Amino acid sequence: MNKPAAKTFNFQHTRKEGVFRTWFRGEHTNFNPDFEKMAEQDAALEWVTQGWAPKARIVTPDTRITAFGSCFAANISNWLAGRNYNILTRDQGSNAYVVKCGEGMVNSYVIRQQFEWAFEGKKFEQDLWHGYSAESYGYDEEVRRQTLDIFSNTDLFILTFGLSEVWYDEVTGGVFWRSIPQDAYDPSRHKFRVTTVEENKDNIRAIYDLIRKHRPDAKIITTLSPVPLIATFRPVSCISANSVSKAVLRVALDELMRELGDEGYLHYWPSYEIVTDVFHSPFKQDRRHLPRAVLDFIMMLFEQVWCEKQPTDAEMLRHWIAALSAAGLVSDRLEAVVRDDSLAALKRVMAKRKIARHPEAETAIRAQLDRLEALLSG
């Protein structure tokens, strides 16, 4: 696999009163890139996925994949299915909740519940699971068997964690998928809270242990959804509450990667960091959902890192430029240029004095547009 070269520095010179001294920088020192570096076509690969890529690409068309969790899991499922990968949670004939409501399982508790229920038949005392219209899903044994069949045939689990705010039943301790249906809400027992790093770490560790017990050869890719909270039930702003919600999960995932990553079964895919640091704030008007071009680029980058069949350089270039355009980092006309393969439109954009939002990125962007022009001219 073509991994980006690690950028390591062991010392830095400083000058004080005419004497050079050095600071020890350790074995691995990876600096934060500037706008010019982040404008390169391989910026996400080099500056974000570094350290998180597998030793060898493990995903083939025969790999049986189960993806569920927060809504970002649906994007992964849809993309890979469209590229002819074997996605078990796309079986529309199944009644398993990880198929019917897989992108609605937004916290680590409910994901853990699915594994405990399917693999070990754990019962839950209260009605905790509800669909998109607040309908009760219950604990039907046939649905459990269908879920078990999916899990028992999975080679790769892709689990997306969304938030650390939960509603729970104070009497039993059970955690709901989301909130509680209005007609079932009981203020004497139904409560809201922010879960801790340790609680989420314990949940994800339990999921890992269950998979290792029942599917010992399966691999697990965890990811943190970049989609922010639509609202918080805390008496603080939603923006600051979202920051905490994501941070809790991100720390839990990082601690587990440091503890278990060397075993070779648990992995992390940095979709959250790609969105927040490569594209800055590329959301649609609702400030929650991502433009299609940004999503497609992240999915294609996933292929580049994880899948044996590699996207071509031309595909990566086109998706990168379209994503930058959709995120507002380069001319908003470039997304249409890529979509329509319009050489004339591209030349009109390139004739403009300024293409990139950040002046430092202008040279790098123009070099990539030169490559795109060569592709369209060929």
Side-chain angles (χ1 to χ4, degrees):
M1 172 176 181
N2 296 323
K3 294 184 180 179
K7 291 175 171 54
T8 59
F9 302 87
N10 290 327
F11 61 84
Q12 177 179 339
H13 288 291
T14 61
R15 185 165 188 163
K16 183 178 180 181
E17 297 179 356
V19 178
F20 280 100
R21 304 185 66 184
T22 61
W23 297 104
F24 178 66
R25 293 293 187 182
E27 182 182 356
H28 302 287
T29 303
N30 297 303
F31 288 94
N32 199 37
D34 57 22
F35 285 127
E36 181 179 8
K37 293 184 177 67
M38 289 304 290
E40 296 289 346
Q41 181 184 334
D42 62 351
L45 182 70
E46 183 170 353
W47 297 102
V48 186
T49 69
Q50 180 184 347
W52 303 116
K55 294 180 180 178
R57 298 185 182 96
I58 63 171
V59 181
T60 72
D62 295 326
T63 303
R64 295 167 296 182
I65 301 170
T66 289
F68 70 102
S70 182
C71 59
F72 206 67
N75 296 311
I76 296 174
S77 295
N78 293 339
W79 177 268
L80 292 177
R83 305 282 278 188
N84 297 316
Y85 287 93
N86 188 5
I87 311 299
L88 301 185
T89 37
R90 291 272 297 178
D91 179 7
Q92 298 304 311
S94 173
N95 288 317
Y97 303 146
V98 294
V99 174
K100 295 176 63 177
C101 199
E103 68 273 26
M105 300 179 182
V106 294
N107 63 68
S108 66
Y109 285 86
V110 65
I111 296 176
R112 176 178 179 172
Q113 289 166 7
Q114 290 298 298
F115 283 100
E116 290 176 330
W117 182 55
F119 276 140
E120 306 204 326
K122 181 174 179 178
K123 307 293 184 182
F124 302 96
E125 296 181 42
Q126 199 186 8
D127 200 8
L128 298 174
W129 302 346
H130 299 88
Y132 296 115
S133 300
E135 71 275 25
S136 175
Y137 271 6
Y139 310 113
D140 182 86
E141 179 60 20
E142 177 56 29
V143 176
R144 188 192 75 83
R145 284 197 293 267
Q146 290 183 31
T147 308
L148 176 61
D149 184 61
I150 290 173
F151 288 176
S152 297
N153 286 285
T154 298
D155 302 311
L156 172 64
F157 292 91
I158 303 176
L159 305 176
T160 304
F161 299 90
L163 52 86
S164 54
E165 295 188 359
V166 301
W167 284 89
Y168 68 102
D169 176 38
E170 194 171 44
V171 176
T172 65
V175 173
F176 294 88
W177 283 9
R178 302 177 193 78
S179 184
I180 305 101
Q182 182 67 46
D183 58 3
Y185 174 65
D186 180 351
S188 69
R189 62 187 295 172
H190 297 150
K191 309 295 181 182
F192 167 83
R193 68 186 179 89
V194 181
T195 57
T196 67
V197 170
E198 198 59 38
E199 288 171 322
N200 285 281
K201 181 180 175 182
D202 180 65
N203 287 338
I204 301 168
R205 177 62 189 255
I207 293 165
Y208 176 83
D209 289 342
L210 284 165
I211 293 172
R212 297 287 295 119
K213 176 181 177 181
H214 295 277
R215 288 291 295 162
D217 295 326
K219 301 294 191 296
I220 308 157
I221 300 175
T222 60
T223 187
L224 175 61
S225 172
V227 179
L229 293 170
I230 191 172
T232 182
F233 296 99
R234 298 178 60 187
V236 301
S237 73
C238 185
I239 289 175
S240 55
N242 179 70
S243 179
V244 172
S245 180
K246 298 297 185 184
V248 165
L249 288 168
R250 186 64 191 89
V251 172
L253 289 167
D254 195 71
E255 289 189 357
L256 282 171
M257 281 302 303
R258 282 181 276 149
E259 292 175 13
L260 302 174
D262 288 344
E263 294 181 6
Y265 297 95
L266 184 67
H267 302 273
Y268 176 72
W269 174 246
S271 55
Y272 178 81
E273 291 89 334
I274 295 170
V275 169
T276 56
D277 280 289
V278 176
F279 298 109
H280 307 307
S281 182
F283 299 102
K284 294 181 179 180
Q285 184 62 30
D286 63 5
R287 285 179 28 89
R288 296 191 66 244
H289 294 96
L290 295 169
R292 171 52 54 187
V294 173
L295 283 170
D296 287 352
F297 172 77
I298 296 171
M299 298 304 115
M300 183 154 282
L301 184 64
F302 181 93
E303 275 194 83
Q304 187 179 21
V305 172
W306 282 96
C307 298
E308 281 189 357
K309 184 180 179 182
Q310 293 287 281
T312 66
D313 288 342
E315 285 181 306
M316 293 303 301
L317 177 62
R318 289 170 182 271
H319 280 77
W320 170 243
I321 291 174
L324 289 176
S325 178
L329 294 173
V330 299
S331 170
D332 59 5
R333 297 176 182 271
L334 285 170
E335 184 179 3
V337 166
V338 172
R339 182 187 65 238
D340 301 334
D341 281 343
S342 175
L343 180 59
L346 175 61
K347 287 183 175 181
R348 287 195 293 271
V349 172
M350 294 176 69
K352 294 182 178 295
R353 184 178 61 84
K354 180 182 177 183
I355 300 173
R357 176 194 292 180
H358 302 290
E360 302 91 335
E362 190 75 20
T363 300
I365 294 298
R366 287 189 177 274
Q368 292 168 70
L369 295 186
D370 287 340
R371 295 201 296 274
L372 179 61
E373 183 181 21
L375 284 173
L376 295 182
S377 299

